[in-house]
Amino acid sequence: MNLFAPEVVADPQTFYERLRTEHGPVAPVLVAGDLPAWLVLGYRENLEVARTSTRFTRDSRVWNLALQGKVPADSPLLPMTEWKPMVRFAEGEAHRRLRSAINDSLAGLNRRGVRRYVTRFANELIDGFCTEGRADLVAQFAQHLPMHVMAKLLGIPDHAAPSLVRATQDLMTGAKTAVASNEHIVTTLRQVVAQKRAVPGNDIASRLIGHPAELSDMEVAQNLRVALVIGNETTVGLVASTLRMVHTDPRCRASLAGGHMTLPDAVEQILWDEPPFRTMVGRWAVADTELGGQKIKAGDLMLLALAAGNVDPAIRPDLTASLLGNRSHLAFGGGAHECPGQDISRAIAETGIDTLLGRLPDISLAVPEDELTWNRAWLTRHLASLPVTFTPKRPTEPAQPFSVAGASEAGQDLGQGRDATQRRDTVPWPDGAASPAPRWPSLRRRFAHWLR
């Protein structure tokens, strides 16, 4: 089965379940150019690959097909597999060095500062369509909100965000222009690094540049790239899928009727049922080994089917059972390479959707649910369009520009002052631990018209 085949891209989960039935938790597949790979479908097997770097490495330089010259220079796989000096491909001490710089840079952000930026950009996007009474919440909201927030956090100029949205989408679809789009992203980030090295700001790029690990300009640019691409695509899918769920999913409505479901609960349910990255390119066998009954050769490419792992009958025999409070899904990976920015993704989704529902509380689908369409990306899956109607509203008053001038303004921007941890309004991001869910209003209040 070729994962790039149109019928597989259109409905990957159906084909993945067929593979599980035929091959078990690990299945042989083909990717672009009919190159062979292994698709890891089992939950436990996914964790085994993610957590055992002595058997399965992130270092793509061991890929046997690349070493044999079988991967074309224009392969759409290259932006995701070609080795670069970034945390995604690092192992051992190199990984610890880069990961510490990233963790420390993220620790400089605070929850309130991030959410204020999400609210600002969400309101700006909503103002663009709120007077019309109808909108496409994917094209006009979900596809743009994460990139604008991520750009601000990373130190990228606002005007660069739209072209980065298009380039990132190109990478995810595996288009023929994926290599050119990747080069556009890298060029943009190199310019950012040069600017920030000359004039540092209160952003992640500047923190990486100034970190004691002494990252090179190439290392800073490449690690910003992986944060931008993975973080944006993850959050676009999370926002789009959660918006669909709260308007269509019977499980959501049932919980609403009981008054128990909050917006963070809905987000976590989506991370279980529809993880934004359904499949992750990501590991190579260090030596000949065995996994899930399959004989894996040294250098073989392993693809982690995160969505298939989340619904593995071995750990979820009843897909309707409640998962409230359970964050053991695979949506953000696992092991030493588990996504360090997952709480930022959650914050963008939760705050952005909460802002939207607060502004336009009577949103309803403009088409039947079975007419909704999905994107055509081999790694990700989310709505391509979400047409809705609502009562037209006036735009908000023009927002005052946010200050990112210095760490002393920790309560208003993204940084932390020396005593920030002692202030209620500057709670730092947790380091290596999941944060408790914020106290969001119940969705029941947001959708009271459903329950009348």
Side-chain angles (χ1 to χ4, degrees), residues 40-57:
V40 185
L41 301 160
Y43 179 89
R44 294 184 179 90
E45 288 75 15
N46 266 281
L47 287 179
E48 185 174 351
V49 172
R51 292 174 175 174
T52 317
S53 61
T54 54
R55 294 175 61 203
F56 302 100
T57 181

Side-chain angles (χ1 to χ4, degrees), residues 257-277:
H260 298 303
M261 179 165 278
T262 64
L263 194 47
D265 294 333
V267 168
E268 293 304 318
Q269 188 68 52
I270 285 295
L271 290 171
W272 271 105
D273 295 340
E274 299 177 21
F277 270 89

Side-chain angles (χ1 to χ4, degrees), residues 230-407:
I230 301 297
N232 176 74
E233 187 64 19
T234 296
T235 314
V236 168
L238 190 55
V239 172
S241 294
T242 305
L243 283 169
R244 181 198 57 78
M245 177 185 176
V246 298
H247 287 95
T248 65
D249 198 306
R251 293 170 303 175
C252 184
R253 296 189 185 190
S255 295
L256 287 171
H260 298 303
M261 179 165 278
T262 64
L263 194 47
D265 294 333
V267 168
E268 293 304 318
Q269 188 68 52
I270 285 295
L271 290 171
W272 271 105
D273 295 340
E274 299 177 21
F277 270 89
R278 303 185 71 82
T279 305
M280 181 65 73
V281 177
R283 301 296 195 284
W284 288 264
V286 175
D288 290 357
T289 187
E290 185 173 321
L291 181 72
Q294 303 284 5
K295 295 186 182 301
I296 313 296
K297 295 294 185 181
D300 280 359
L301 170 61
M302 313 298 295
L303 306 175
L304 304 185
L306 307 179
N310 277 353
V311 296
D312 185 348
I315 59 109
R316 283 186 71 189
D318 180 6
L319 296 180
T320 65
S322 174
L323 291 168
L324 291 179
N326 188 336
R327 286 190 172 188
S328 57
H329 50 71
L330 301 172
F332 293 110
H337 287 271
E338 184 172 357
C339 177
Q342 57 186 273
D343 284 328
I344 295 178
S345 184
R346 287 185 174 99
I348 294 173
E350 293 168 6
T351 307
I353 294 173
D354 190 64
T355 302
L356 175 68
L357 300 182
R359 293 275 306 275
L360 307 172
D362 63 345
I363 288 175
S364 60
L365 286 182
V367 299
E369 183 182 356
D370 59 8
E371 293 184 12
L372 295 175
T373 59
W374 300 80
N375 73 332
R376 291 291 187 267
W378 75 288
L379 293 177
T380 65
R381 179 171 165 80
H382 59 72
L383 285 174
S385 177
L386 186 61
V388 298
T389 59
F390 49 85
T391 302
K393 297 292 181 69
R394 293 180 178 178
T396 59
E397 293 295 324
Q400 295 299 315
F402 279 24
S403 169
V404 290

Side-chain angles (χ1 to χ4, degrees), residues 6 17 37 43 92 115 211 235 351 362 370 412 415 418 439 442:
E17 291 308 312
Y43 179 89
R115 294 185 188 274
H211 193 271
T235 314
T351 307
D362 63 345
D370 59 8
Q412 299 178 13
R418 180 180 302 174
R439 300 178 185 177
S442 169

Side-chain angles (χ1 to χ4, degrees), residues 21-40:
T21 300
E22 294 176 359
H23 300 281
V26 180
V29 295
L30 300 174
V31 290
D34 286 336
L35 300 177
W38 295 99
L39 186 67
V40 185

